[in-house]
Coordinates of all heavy atoms in Angstrom, one line a residue:
M29 N -49.0 19.4 3.8 CA -47.9 18.6 4.3 C -46.6 19.1 3.7 O -45.6 19.4 4.3 CB -48.1 17.1 4.0 CG -46.9 16.3 4.0 SD -46.6 15.5 5.5 CE -45.0 14.8 5.3
F30 N -46.5 19.2 2.3 CA -45.3 19.7 1.7 C -45.6 20.9 0.8 O -46.7 21.1 0.3 CB -44.6 18.6 0.9 CG -45.5 18.0 -0.2 CD1 -45.4 18.6 -1.5 CD2 -46.3 17.0 0.0 CE1 -46.2 18.1 -2.5 CE2 -47.1 16.5 -1.1 CZ -47.1 17.1 -2.3
N31 N -44.6 21.7 0.7 CA -44.6 22.8 -0.2 C -43.2 23.0 -0.7 O -42.3 22.2 -0.4 CB -45.1 24.1 0.5 CG -44.3 24.5 1.7 OD1 -43.1 24.2 1.8 ND2 -45.0 25.1 2.7
N32 N -43.0 24.0 -1.5 CA -41.7 24.2 -2.2 C -40.6 24.5 -1.2 O -39.5 24.0 -1.3 CB -41.8 25.4 -3.1 CG -40.7 25.4 -4.1 OD1 -40.1 24.4 -4.4 ND2 -40.4 26.6 -4.7
T33 N -40.9 25.1 0.0 CA -39.9 25.4 1.0 C -39.5 24.0 1.7 O -38.3 23.8 1.9 CB -40.5 26.3 2.1 OG1 -41.0 27.5 1.4 CG2 -39.4 26.7 3.1
N34 N -40.4 23.1 1.9 CA -40.1 21.9 2.5 C -39.2 21.0 1.6 O -38.2 20.4 2.0 CB -41.3 21.1 2.8 CG -42.1 21.6 4.0 OD1 -41.7 22.5 4.7 ND2 -43.4 21.2 4.1
V35 N -39.5 21.0 0.3 CA -38.8 20.2 -0.7 C -37.3 20.8 -0.8 O -36.4 20.1 -0.8 CB -39.5 20.2 -2.0 CG1 -38.6 19.6 -3.1 CG2 -40.8 19.6 -1.9
Q36 N -37.2 22.1 -0.8 CA -35.9 22.8 -0.9 C -35.1 22.5 0.4 O -33.9 22.3 0.3 CB -36.1 24.3 -1.1 CG -36.5 24.6 -2.5 CD -36.7 26.1 -2.7 OE1 -36.6 26.9 -1.8 NE2 -37.0 26.5 -3.9
S37 N -35.7 22.5 1.6 CA -34.9 22.3 2.8 C -34.4 20.9 2.9 O -33.3 20.6 3.3 CB -35.7 22.7 4.0 OG -36.9 21.9 4.1
V38 N -35.3 19.9 2.4 CA -34.9 18.5 2.4 C -33.7 18.3 1.4 O -32.7 17.7 1.7 CB -36.1 17.6 2.0 CG1 -35.6 16.2 1.6 CG2 -37.1 17.5 3.2
Q39 N -33.9 18.9 0.2 CA -32.9 18.8 -0.8 C -31.6 19.4 -0.4 O -30.5 18.9 -0.6 CB -33.4 19.5 -2.1 CG -32.6 19.3 -3.3 CD -32.9 17.9 -3.8 OE1 -33.5 17.0 -3.2 NE2 -32.4 17.6 -5.0
H40 N -31.6 20.6 0.2 CA -30.4 21.3 0.7 C -29.7 20.4 1.7 O -28.4 20.3 1.7 CB -30.7 22.7 1.2 CG -29.5 23.4 1.7 ND1 -28.5 23.9 0.9 CD2 -29.2 23.7 3.0 CE1 -27.6 24.4 1.6 NE2 -28.0 24.4 2.9
C41 N -30.4 19.9 2.7 CA -29.8 19.1 3.7 C -29.2 17.8 3.1 O -28.0 17.5 3.5 CB -30.9 18.7 4.7 SG -30.3 17.7 6.1
L42 N -29.8 17.1 2.2 CA -29.3 15.9 1.6 C -28.1 16.2 0.7 O -27.1 15.5 0.6 CB -30.4 15.2 0.8 CG -31.5 14.6 1.7 CD1 -32.5 13.9 0.9 CD2 -30.9 13.6 2.7
D43 N -28.1 17.4 0.0 CA -27.0 17.8 -0.8 C -25.8 18.0 0.0 O -24.6 17.6 -0.3 CB -27.3 19.0 -1.7 CG -28.2 18.7 -2.8 OD1 -28.4 17.5 -3.2 OD2 -28.7 19.7 -3.4
A44 N -25.9 18.7 1.1 CA -24.8 19.0 2.0 C -24.3 17.7 2.6 O -23.0 17.5 2.7 CB -25.3 19.9 3.2
Y45 N -25.1 16.7 2.9 CA -24.7 15.4 3.5 C -23.9 14.6 2.4 O -22.9 14.1 2.7 CB -25.9 14.7 4.0 CG -25.6 13.3 4.4 CD1 -24.9 13.0 5.6 CD2 -26.0 12.1 3.7 CE1 -24.6 11.8 6.0 CE2 -25.7 10.9 4.1 CZ -25.0 10.7 5.3 OH -24.8 9.4 5.7
L46 N -24.5 14.6 1.2 CA -23.8 13.8 0.1 C -22.4 14.4 -0.1 O -21.4 13.7 -0.4 CB -24.6 13.8 -1.1 CG -25.8 12.9 -1.1 CD1 -26.7 13.2 -2.3 CD2 -25.3 11.5 -1.2
Q47 N -22.3 15.7 -0.1 CA -21.0 16.4 -0.4 C -20.1 16.2 0.8 O -18.9 15.9 0.5 CB -21.3 17.9 -0.6 CG -20.1 18.6 -1.2 CD -20.5 20.0 -1.6 OE1 -21.4 20.6 -1.1 NE2 -19.7 20.6 -2.5
R48 N -20.6 16.1 2.0 CA -19.7 16.0 3.2 C -19.1 14.5 3.2 O -18.0 14.4 3.5 CB -20.5 16.3 4.4 CG -19.7 16.2 5.7 CD -20.4 16.7 6.9 NE -21.6 15.8 7.2 CZ -22.8 16.2 7.2 NH1 -23.2 17.4 6.9 NH2 -23.8 15.3 7.5
I49 N -19.9 13.5 2.9 CA -19.4 12.2 3.0 C -18.8 11.7 1.7 O -18.2 10.6 1.7 CB -20.6 11.2 3.4 CG1 -21.7 11.1 2.4 CG2 -21.1 11.5 4.8 CD1 -22.7 10.0 2.7
G50 N -19.0 12.4 0.6 CA -18.4 12.0 -0.7 C -19.1 10.9 -1.4 O -18.4 10.2 -2.2
K51 N -20.4 10.7 -1.2 CA -21.1 9.7 -1.9 C -21.8 10.3 -3.1 O -22.1 11.5 -3.1 CB -22.1 9.0 -1.0 CG -21.6 8.0 -0.1 CD -22.7 7.2 0.6 CE -22.2 6.1 1.4 NZ -23.4 5.4 2.1
V52 N -22.2 9.5 -4.1 CA -22.9 9.9 -5.2 C -24.4 9.7 -5.0 O -25.2 10.5 -5.5 CB -22.4 9.1 -6.5 CG1 -23.2 9.5 -7.7 CG2 -20.9 9.4 -6.7
E53 N -24.8 8.7 -4.3 CA -26.2 8.3 -4.2 C -26.4 7.6 -2.8 O -25.5 6.9 -2.3 CB -26.5 7.3 -5.3 CG -27.9 6.9 -5.4 CD -28.2 6.0 -6.6 OE1 -27.7 4.9 -6.6 OE2 -28.8 6.5 -7.6
I54 N -27.6 7.9 -2.3 CA -28.0 7.2 -1.0 C -29.4 6.7 -1.1 O -30.1 7.1 -2.0 CB -27.8 8.2 0.2 CG1 -28.7 9.4 0.0 CG2 -26.4 8.5 0.5 CD1 -28.7 10.4 1.2
D55 N -29.8 5.8 -0.2 CA -31.1 5.3 -0.2 C -32.0 6.1 0.8 O -31.5 7.0 1.5 CB -31.1 3.8 0.1 CG -30.6 3.5 1.5 OD1 -30.1 4.4 2.2 OD2 -30.7 2.3 1.9
E56 N -33.3 5.7 0.9 CA -34.2 6.5 1.7 C -33.9 6.3 3.2 O -34.2 7.3 4.0 CB -35.6 6.2 1.4 CG -36.1 4.8 1.8 CD -35.8 3.7 0.9 OE1 -35.1 3.8 -0.1 OE2 -36.3 2.6 1.2
I57 N -33.4 5.2 3.6 CA -33.1 5.0 5.0 C -32.0 5.9 5.5 O -32.1 6.6 6.5 CB -32.8 3.5 5.3 CG1 -34.1 2.7 5.0 CG2 -32.4 3.3 6.7 CD1 -33.9 1.2 5.1
E58 N -30.9 5.9 4.8 CA -29.8 6.7 5.1 C -30.2 8.2 5.0 O -29.8 9.0 5.9 CB -28.6 6.4 4.2 CG -27.3 7.2 4.6 CD -26.2 6.8 3.7 OE1 -26.3 5.9 2.8 OE2 -25.1 7.4 3.9
A59 N -31.0 8.6 4.0 CA -31.4 10.0 3.9 C -32.3 10.4 5.0 O -32.1 11.5 5.6 CB -32.1 10.1 2.5
N60 N -33.2 9.5 5.4 CA -34.1 9.9 6.5 C -33.4 10.0 7.9 O -33.7 10.8 8.7 CB -35.2 8.9 6.6 CG -36.5 9.5 7.2 OD1 -37.6 9.0 7.1 ND2 -36.4 10.6 8.0
Q61 N -32.3 9.2 8.0 CA -31.5 9.3 9.3 C -30.8 10.6 9.3 O -30.7 11.2 10.4 CB -30.5 8.1 9.3 CG -31.1 6.8 9.6 CD -30.1 5.7 9.5 OE1 -28.9 5.9 9.0 NE2 -30.5 4.5 9.9
E62 N -30.3 11.1 8.2 CA -29.6 12.4 8.1 C -30.6 13.5 8.3 O -30.3 14.5 9.0 CB -28.9 12.5 6.8 CG -28.2 13.9 6.6 CD -27.2 14.3 7.7 OE1 -26.6 13.4 8.4 OE2 -27.0 15.5 7.9
L63 N -31.8 13.4 7.7 CA -32.8 14.4 7.9 C -33.2 14.5 9.4 O -33.5 15.6 9.9 CB -34.0 14.2 7.0 CG -33.7 14.4 5.5 CD1 -34.9 13.9 4.7 CD2 -33.4 15.8 5.2
A64 N -33.3 13.4 10.0 CA -33.7 13.3 11.5 C -32.6 14.0 12.3 O -32.9 14.7 13.3 CB -34.0 11.9 11.9
R65 N -31.3 13.7 12.0 CA -30.2 14.2 12.7 C -30.2 15.7 12.6 O -29.9 16.5 13.5 CB -28.9 13.6 12.2 CG -27.7 14.0 13.1 CD -26.4 13.6 12.4 NE -26.1 14.3 11.2 CZ -25.7 15.6 11.1 NH1 -25.6 16.3 12.2 NH2 -25.5 16.2 10.0
A66 N -30.5 16.2 11.4 CA -30.5 17.7 11.1 C -31.8 18.4 11.6 O -31.8 19.6 11.6 CB -30.3 17.9 9.6
G67 N -32.8 17.6 12.0 CA -34.0 18.2 12.5 C -35.0 18.6 11.4 O -35.9 19.4 11.7
V68 N -34.8 18.1 10.2 CA -35.7 18.5 9.1 C -36.9 17.6 9.1 O -38.0 18.1 8.9 CB -34.9 18.5 7.8 CG1 -35.8 18.8 6.6 CG2 -33.8 19.5 7.9
L69 N -36.7 16.3 9.2 CA -37.8 15.3 9.1 C -37.6 14.2 10.1 O -36.5 13.5 10.0 CB -37.9 14.8 7.7 CG -39.0 13.8 7.3 CD1 -40.4 14.5 7.5 CD2 -38.8 13.2 5.9
A70 N -38.5 14.0 11.0 CA -38.3 12.9 12.0 C -38.3 11.6 11.4 O -39.0 11.3 10.4 CB -39.4 13.1 13.1
D71 N -37.6 10.6 12.0 CA -37.5 9.3 11.5 C -38.4 8.4 12.4 O -38.6 8.7 13.6 CB -36.1 8.8 11.4 CG -35.9 7.6 10.5 OD1 -36.9 7.1 9.9 OD2 -34.8 7.0 10.5
D72 N -38.9 7.3 11.8 CA -39.6 6.3 12.6 C -38.7 5.2 13.0 O -38.0 4.6 12.2 CB -40.7 5.7 11.7 CG -41.7 4.8 12.4 OD1 -41.6 4.7 13.7 OD2 -42.6 4.3 11.8
Q73 N -38.7 4.9 14.3 CA -37.8 3.9 14.9 C -38.2 2.5 14.4 O -37.3 1.6 14.2 CB -37.7 4.0 16.4 CG -37.1 5.3 16.9 CD -35.7 5.5 16.4 OE1 -34.9 4.6 16.3 NE2 -35.3 6.7 16.1
K74 N -39.5 2.2 14.4 CA -39.9 0.9 14.0 C -39.7 0.6 12.5 O -39.4 -0.5 12.1 CB -41.4 0.7 14.3 CG -41.7 0.3 15.7 CD -43.1 0.1 15.9 CE -43.3 -1.2 16.7 NZ -44.7 -1.5 16.9
H75 N -39.9 1.6 11.7 CA -39.8 1.5 10.2 C -38.9 2.6 9.7 O -39.4 3.7 9.3 CB -41.2 1.6 9.6 CG -42.2 0.7 10.1 ND1 -42.1 -0.7 9.8 CD2 -43.2 0.8 10.9 CE1 -43.1 -1.3 10.4 NE2 -43.8 -0.4 11.1
P76 N -37.6 2.4 9.8 CA -36.6 3.5 9.4 C -36.9 3.9 7.9 O -37.0 3.0 7.0 CB -35.3 2.8 9.5 CG -35.5 1.7 10.4 CD -36.9 1.2 10.2
G77 N -36.9 5.2 7.7 CA -37.0 5.7 6.3 C -38.5 5.9 5.9 O -38.7 6.4 4.8
N78 N -39.4 5.4 6.7 CA -40.8 5.5 6.3 C -41.4 6.9 6.1 O -42.1 7.2 5.1 CB -41.7 4.7 7.2 CG -43.1 4.4 6.7 OD1 -43.2 4.1 5.5 ND2 -44.1 4.6 7.5
P79 N -41.0 7.9 7.0 CA -41.5 9.2 6.7 C -41.0 9.8 5.4 O -41.8 10.5 4.7 CB -41.0 10.0 7.9 CG -40.8 9.0 9.0 CD -40.4 7.8 8.3
L80 N -39.8 9.6 5.1 CA -39.3 10.1 3.8 C -39.9 9.4 2.6 O -40.2 10.0 1.6 CB -37.7 10.0 3.7 CG -37.1 10.5 2.5 CD1 -37.4 12.0 2.4 CD2 -35.6 10.3 2.5
R81 N -40.1 8.1 2.7 CA -40.8 7.3 1.6 C -42.2 7.9 1.4 O -42.6 8.1 0.2 CB -40.9 5.9 2.0 CG -39.7 5.1 1.7 CD -39.9 3.6 1.8 NE -40.2 3.2 3.2 CZ -39.3 2.8 4.1 NH1 -38.0 2.8 3.8 NH2 -39.6 2.4 5.3
E82 N -42.9 8.2 2.5 CA -44.3 8.8 2.3 C -44.2 10.1 1.7 O -45.0 10.5 0.8 CB -45.0 8.8 3.7 CG -45.4 7.5 4.2 CD -46.0 7.5 5.6 OE1 -46.1 8.7 6.1 OE2 -46.3 6.5 6.1
F83 N -43.2 11.0 2.1 CA -43.0 12.3 1.6 C -42.7 12.2 0.1 O -43.3 12.9 -0.8 CB -41.9 13.0 2.3 CG -41.6 14.4 1.9 CD1 -42.5 15.4 2.2 CD2 -40.5 14.7 1.1 CE1 -42.2 16.7 1.8 CE2 -40.2 16.0 0.7 CZ -41.1 17.0 1.1
L84 N -41.8 11.3 -0.3 CA -41.5 11.2 -1.7 C -42.6 10.6 -2.6 O -42.8 11.0 -3.7 CB -40.2 10.3 -1.9 CG -38.9 10.9 -1.3 CD1 -37.8 9.9 -1.4 CD2 -38.5 12.2 -2.0
S85 N -43.4 9.7 -2.0 CA -44.5 9.2 -2.7 C -45.6 10.2 -3.0 O -46.2 10.3 -4.1 CB -45.2 8.0 -1.9 OG -44.3 7.0 -1.8
K86 N -45.8 11.1 -2.0 CA -46.7 12.2 -2.3 C -46.2 13.2 -3.3 O -47.0 13.7 -4.1 CB -47.0 13.0 -1.0 CG -47.8 12.2 0.0 CD -48.1 12.9 1.3 CE -48.9 12.0 2.3 NZ -49.1 12.6 3.5
L87 N -44.9 13.4 -3.3 CA -44.4 14.3 -4.4 C -44.5 13.6 -5.7 O -44.8 14.2 -6.7 CB -42.9 14.5 -4.1 CG -42.6 15.5 -3.0 CD1 -41.0 15.6 -2.8 CD2 -43.1 16.9 -3.3
R88 N -44.3 12.3 -5.8 CA -44.4 11.5 -7.1 C -45.8 11.6 -7.6 O -46.1 11.8 -8.7 CB -43.9 10.1 -6.8 CG -44.0 9.2 -8.1 CD -44.0 7.8 -7.8 NE -45.1 7.5 -6.9 CZ -45.1 6.5 -6.0 NH1 -44.1 5.7 -5.9 NH2 -46.2 6.2 -5.3
D89 N -46.8 11.4 -6.6 CA -48.2 11.4 -7.0 C -48.7 12.7 -7.5 O -49.6 12.8 -8.3 CB -49.0 10.9 -5.9 CG -48.8 9.4 -5.5 OD1 -48.1 8.7 -6.3 OD2 -49.2 9.0 -4.4
S90 N -48.1 13.8 -7.0 CA -48.5 15.1 -7.4 C -47.6 15.6 -8.6 O -47.7 16.8 -9.0 CB -48.5 16.1 -6.3 OG -47.2 16.2 -5.8
N91 N -46.7 14.8 -9.1 CA -45.9 15.1 -10.2 C -44.9 16.3 -9.9 O -44.6 17.1 -10.7 CB -46.7 15.4 -11.5 CG -45.9 15.2 -12.7 OD1 -44.9 14.5 -12.7 ND2 -46.3 15.8 -13.8
K92 N -44.4 16.3 -8.6 CA -43.5 17.3 -8.2 C -42.1 16.7 -7.7 O -41.4 17.4 -7.0 CB -44.1 18.2 -7.1 CG -45.3 18.9 -7.5 CD -45.8 19.8 -6.4 CE -47.0 20.6 -6.9 NZ -47.6 21.4 -5.9
L93 N -41.9 15.5 -8.1 CA -40.7 14.8 -7.6 C -39.5 15.4 -8.3 O -39.5 15.5 -9.6 CB -40.8 13.3 -7.9 CG -39.8 12.4 -7.3 CD1 -39.9 12.4 -5.8 CD2 -39.9 11.0 -7.8
P94 N -38.4 15.8 -7.6 CA -37.2 16.3 -8.2 C -36.5 15.3 -9.2 O -36.7 14.1 -9.0 CB -36.3 16.6 -7.0 CG -37.2 16.7 -5.9 CD -38.3 15.8 -6.1
A95 N -35.8 15.7 -10.1 CA -35.2 14.9 -11.1 C -34.1 14.0 -10.5 O -33.8 12.9 -11.1 CB -34.6 15.7 -12.3
N96 N -33.5 14.4 -9.4 CA -32.4 13.6 -8.8 C -32.9 12.4 -7.9 O -32.1 11.7 -7.4 CB -31.5 14.5 -8.1 CG -32.1 15.1 -6.9 OD1 -33.2 15.6 -7.0 ND2 -31.5 15.1 -5.8
V97 N -34.2 12.3 -7.8 CA -34.8 11.3 -6.9 C -35.6 10.3 -7.8 O -36.4 10.7 -8.7 CB -35.8 11.9 -5.9 CG1 -36.4 10.8 -5.0 CG2 -35.1 12.9 -5.0
R98 N -35.3 9.0 -7.6 CA -36.0 8.0 -8.5 C -36.4 6.8 -7.6 O -35.7 6.5 -6.6 CB -35.2 7.6 -9.7 CG -34.0 6.8 -9.4 CD -33.2 6.5 -10.7 NE -32.2 5.5 -10.5 CZ -31.1 5.6 -9.9 NH1 -30.7 6.7 -9.4 NH2 -30.2 4.6 -9.8
Q99 N -37.4 6.1 -8.0 CA -37.8 4.9 -7.4 C -37.5 3.7 -8.3 O -37.9 3.7 -9.4 CB -39.3 4.9 -7.0 CG -39.7 3.8 -6.1 CD -41.2 3.9 -5.7 OE1 -41.9 4.6 -6.4 NE2 -41.5 3.2 -4.7
L100 N -36.7 2.8 -7.8 CA -36.3 1.6 -8.6 C -36.6 0.4 -7.8 O -36.0 0.1 -6.7 CB -34.8 1.8 -8.9 CG -34.2 0.7 -9.8 CD1 -34.9 0.8 -11.2 CD2 -32.7 0.9 -10.0
Y101 N -37.5 -0.5 -8.3 CA -37.9 -1.7 -7.7 C -38.3 -1.5 -6.2 O -38.0 -2.3 -5.3 CB -36.8 -2.7 -7.7 CG -36.3 -3.0 -9.1 CD1 -35.0 -2.7 -9.5 CD2 -37.1 -3.6 -10.0 CE1 -34.5 -2.9 -10.8 CE2 -36.7 -3.8 -11.3 CZ -35.4 -3.5 -11.7 OH -35.0 -3.8 -13.0
G102 N -39.1 -0.5 -5.9 CA -39.6 -0.2 -4.6 C -38.6 0.5 -3.7 O -39.0 0.9 -2.6
F103 N -37.4 0.8 -4.1 CA -36.4 1.5 -3.3 C -36.2 2.9 -3.9 O -36.1 3.0 -5.1 CB -35.1 0.7 -3.3 CG -35.1 -0.6 -2.7 CD1 -35.2 -1.8 -3.4 CD2 -35.2 -0.8 -1.3 CE1 -35.2 -3.0 -2.9 CE2 -35.3 -2.0 -0.7 CZ -35.3 -3.2 -1.5
W104 N -36.1 3.8 -3.0 CA -35.8 5.2 -3.4 C -34.3 5.5 -3.4 O -33.6 5.1 -2.5 CB -36.5 6.2 -2.4 CG -38.0 6.2 -2.5 CD1 -38.8 5.5 -1.8 CD2 -38.7 6.9 -3.5 NE1 -40.1 5.7 -2.2 CE2 -40.1 6.6 -3.2 CE3 -38.5 7.8 -4.5 CZ2 -41.2 7.2 -3.9 CZ3 -39.5 8.3 -5.2 CH2 -40.8 8.0 -4.9
K105 N -33.8 6.1 -4.5 CA -32.4 6.4 -4.7 C -32.4 7.9 -4.8 O -33.1 8.5 -5.7 CB -31.8 5.7 -5.9 CG -31.8 4.2 -5.8 CD -30.9 3.8 -4.6 CE -30.8 2.3 -4.5 NZ -30.0 1.8 -3.4
I106 N -31.5 8.6 -4.1 CA -31.4 10.0 -4.1 C -30.0 10.4 -4.4 O -29.0 10.0 -3.8 CB -31.8 10.6 -2.7 CG1 -33.2 10.1 -2.3 CG2 -31.7 12.1 -2.7 CD1 -33.5 10.3 -0.9
K107 N -29.8 11.2 -5.5 CA -28.5 11.7 -5.9 C -28.4 13.2 -5.5 O -29.4 13.8 -5.2 CB -28.3 11.6 -7.4 CG -28.2 10.2 -7.9 CD -27.9 10.1 -9.3 CE -27.7 8.7 -9.8 NZ -27.2 8.7 -11.2
H108 N -27.2 13.7 -5.6 CA -27.0 15.2 -5.4 C -27.7 15.9 -6.5 O -27.7 15.6 -7.7 CB -25.5 15.5 -5.5 CG -25.1 16.8 -4.9 ND1 -25.3 18.0 -5.6 CD2 -24.6 17.2 -3.8 CE1 -24.9 19.0 -4.9 NE2 -24.5 18.5 -3.8
S109 N -28.4 17.0 -6.1 CA -29.2 17.7 -7.1 C -28.4 18.4 -8.2 O -28.9 18.5 -9.3 CB -30.1 18.8 -6.4 OG -29.2 19.8 -5.8
K110 N -27.2 18.7 -8.0 CA -26.4 19.4 -9.0 C -25.8 18.3 -10.0 O -25.4 18.7 -11.1 CB -25.3 20.2 -8.4 CG -25.7 21.2 -7.4 CD -26.5 22.3 -8.1 CE -26.8 23.4 -7.1 NZ -28.0 24.1 -7.3
S111 N -25.7 17.1 -9.6 CA -25.1 16.1 -10.5 C -26.0 15.8 -11.7 O -25.5 15.5 -12.8 CB -24.9 14.8 -9.7 OG -26.2 14.2 -9.4
I112 N -27.3 16.0 -11.6 CA -28.2 15.8 -12.7 C -27.9 16.9 -13.8 O -27.9 16.6 -15.0 CB -29.7 15.9 -12.3 CG1 -30.0 14.8 -11.3 CG2 -30.6 15.8 -13.4 CD1 -29.7 13.4 -11.8
M113 N -27.7 18.1 -13.4 CA -27.5 19.2 -14.4 C -26.2 19.0 -15.1 O -26.1 19.2 -16.3 CB -27.5 20.5 -13.7 CG -28.9 20.9 -13.2 SD -30.1 20.9 -14.5 CE -29.6 22.1 -15.6
K114 N -25.1 18.5 -14.4 CA -23.9 18.3 -15.0 C -24.0 17.1 -16.1 O -23.4 17.2 -17.1 CB -22.8 17.9 -14.0 CG -22.4 19.0 -13.1 CD -21.4 18.5 -12.1 CE -21.1 19.6 -11.1 NZ -20.2 19.2 -10.0
M115 N -24.8 16.1 -15.7 CA -24.9 15.0 -16.6 C -25.7 15.4 -17.9 O -25.3 15.0 -19.0 CB -25.7 13.9 -15.9 CG -25.7 12.6 -16.7 SD -24.0 12.0 -16.8 CE -24.1 10.4 -16.1
I116 N -26.7 16.3 -17.8 CA -27.5 16.7 -18.9 C -26.6 17.6 -19.8 O -26.6 17.4 -21.0 CB -28.7 17.5 -18.4 CG1 -29.7 16.6 -17.8 CG2 -29.4 18.2 -19.6 CD1 -30.9 17.3 -17.1
Q117 N -25.7 18.4 -19.2 CA -24.9 19.3 -20.0 C -23.8 18.4 -20.8 O -23.5 18.7 -21.9 CB -24.2 20.3 -19.2 CG -25.1 21.4 -18.7 CD -24.4 22.3 -17.7 OE1 -23.3 22.2 -17.3 NE2 -25.2 23.4 -17.3
I118 N -23.3 17.4 -20.1 CA -22.3 16.6 -20.8 C -22.9 15.8 -21.9 O -22.4 15.7 -23.0 CB -21.7 15.6 -19.7 CG1 -20.8 16.4 -18.8 CG2 -20.9 14.5 -20.4 CD1 -20.4 15.6 -17.6
L119 N -24.1 15.3 -21.7 CA -24.8 14.5 -22.8 C -25.3 15.3 -23.9 O -25.5 14.7 -25.0 CB -25.9 13.7 -22.2 CG -25.5 12.6 -21.2 CD1 -26.7 11.9 -20.5 CD2 -24.6 11.6 -21.8
Q120 N -25.4 16.6 -23.8 CA -25.9 17.4 -24.9 C -24.8 17.6 -26.0 O -25.1 17.8 -27.1 CB -26.3 18.8 -24.4 CG -27.6 18.8 -23.7 CD -28.0 20.2 -23.2 OE1 -27.2 21.1 -23.3 NE2 -29.2 20.3 -22.7
F121 N -23.5 17.4 -25.6 CA -22.5 17.6 -26.6 C -22.0 16.4 -27.1 O -21.7 15.5 -27.3 CB -21.3 18.4 -25.9 CG -21.7 19.7 -25.5 CD1 -21.8 20.0 -24.1 CD2 -21.9 20.8 -26.4 CE1 -22.2 21.3 -23.7 CE2 -22.3 22.0 -26.0 CZ -22.4 22.3 -24.6

C-alpha cells in the first residue's frame, strides 16, 4: 500500500499546500481534501479524511510515521516537514 515514494509524494503535496495558504498546521480532513484535489490520495465522501487516517495509522503501526505528523486525542495534526528541523536547531542552542 505505501512505500517511501508514496510518503514523499503525500508530504510534498501537503508542504506545498501549507506554504501556499500560510498555515502552520492542518488536520487530516483538510489534508485529505487537498490530496484528493491534487490527485494523490482519493477522499471518501461519507467519511472525509478516512483514507489519510488509515494511511497514517499504517505508517504509525510500522514505525515509519514522519516527525511532523502526530496523533492527539484521536485527531491527526500535520505540520510542514521543514518546520520540525528549524525547531530542533533552535532548541539545540
Side-chain angles (χ1 to χ4, degrees):
M29 159 95 188
F30 60 90
N31 56 29
N32 198 22
T33 306
N34 291 347
V35 174
Q36 288 178 353
S37 63
V38 166
Q39 192 74 348
H40 178 70
C41 180
L42 293 177
D43 283 348
Y45 175 70
L46 284 167
Q47 194 169 23
R48 187 173 64 243
I49 64 170
K51 282 189 174 179
V52 176
E53 183 177 71
I54 57 174
D55 62 354
E56 74 273 8
I57 295 173
E58 185 177 357
N60 207 159
Q61 288 174 350
E62 175 58 25
L63 292 171
R65 188 191 65 73
V68 177
L69 182 65
D71 199 4
D72 187 5
Q73 296 300 324
K74 280 186 133 180
H75 306 286
N78 195 39
L80 183 60
R81 280 191 291 272
E82 290 177 1
F83 181 74
L84 294 175
S85 295
K86 288 179 182 177
L87 286 174
R88 180 198 59 210
D89 294 344
S90 64
N91 204 21
K92 296 181 180 180
L93 192 65
N96 64 315
V97 180
R98 69 183 195 284
Q99 188 177 20
L100 185 63
Y101 304 115
F103 297 103
W104 289 96
K105 298 295 183 181
I106 303 165
K107 291 185 176 185
H108 194 284
S109 65
K110 303 294 185 210
S111 67
I112 298 300
M113 292 307 294
K114 290 178 187 175
M115 193 63 124
I116 291 172
Q117 289 176 353
I118 291 170
L119 293 176
Q120 286 179 351
F121 297 107

